[in-house]
Structure formats: structure tokens, C-alpha cells
Amino acid sequence: MKRASICGATASTARWRNERGLTATAEGEKETKERIAANLLSLGVPIETIVQASGLSEEEITNIQ
């Protein structure tokens, strides 16, 4: 009986992560890309190169400046 409860809780937790975690993960990935883009800009890397490497748009990178 205990095992069923644990499995149920695990399945519930997995659903919660899928519903809430994907958004949080995507936001975290974007923040990381923006932080890296800001570092590259400070090093003088051309915006076009950062667009290609990061997947961010030129507008997103320009807004970082």
C-alpha cells in the first residue's frame, strides 16, 4: 500500500513539473542566453555573430545593450 502512495505522489509531482517546469526552464534558458549575449557584447563580438550563436533575435540582443 505504501508503495502505491509513493508512486502516486511521484506521478503527481511529474505532472506538476511538466505543467510548471517547462515554462520555468524556457525562461531560465532565455535568461542564460541573454546573460551570455551581454558578455559577448561587452567583448565586442558583432551582433550578427551573437544572433547566430545564441538563437536570440537582433532586437532581443539590441535590448540588452
Side-chain angles (χ1 to χ4, degrees):
M1 211 41 130
K2 239 180 183 177
R3 184 173 268 185
S5 296
I6 293 170
C7 291
T10 303
S12 176
T13 302
R15 274 194 300 276
W16 184 84
R17 285 183 183 157
N18 283 339
E19 291 169 3
R20 307 218 191 313
L22 291 178
T23 301
T25 301
E27 289 173 9
E29 287 178 6
K30 184 171 183 191
E31 289 174 6
T32 300
K33 287 179 180 184
E34 289 172 345
R35 202 168 38 248
I36 292 169
N39 289 337
L40 293 171
L41 285 169
S42 71
L43 293 171
V45 175
I47 291 177
E48 297 79 23
T49 303
I50 299 171
V51 167
Q52 291 175 338
S54 69
L56 295 172
S57 70
E58 188 171 335
E59 181 179 342
E60 289 172 309
I61 294 168
T62 304
N63 289 335
I64 294 171
Q65 293 178 323

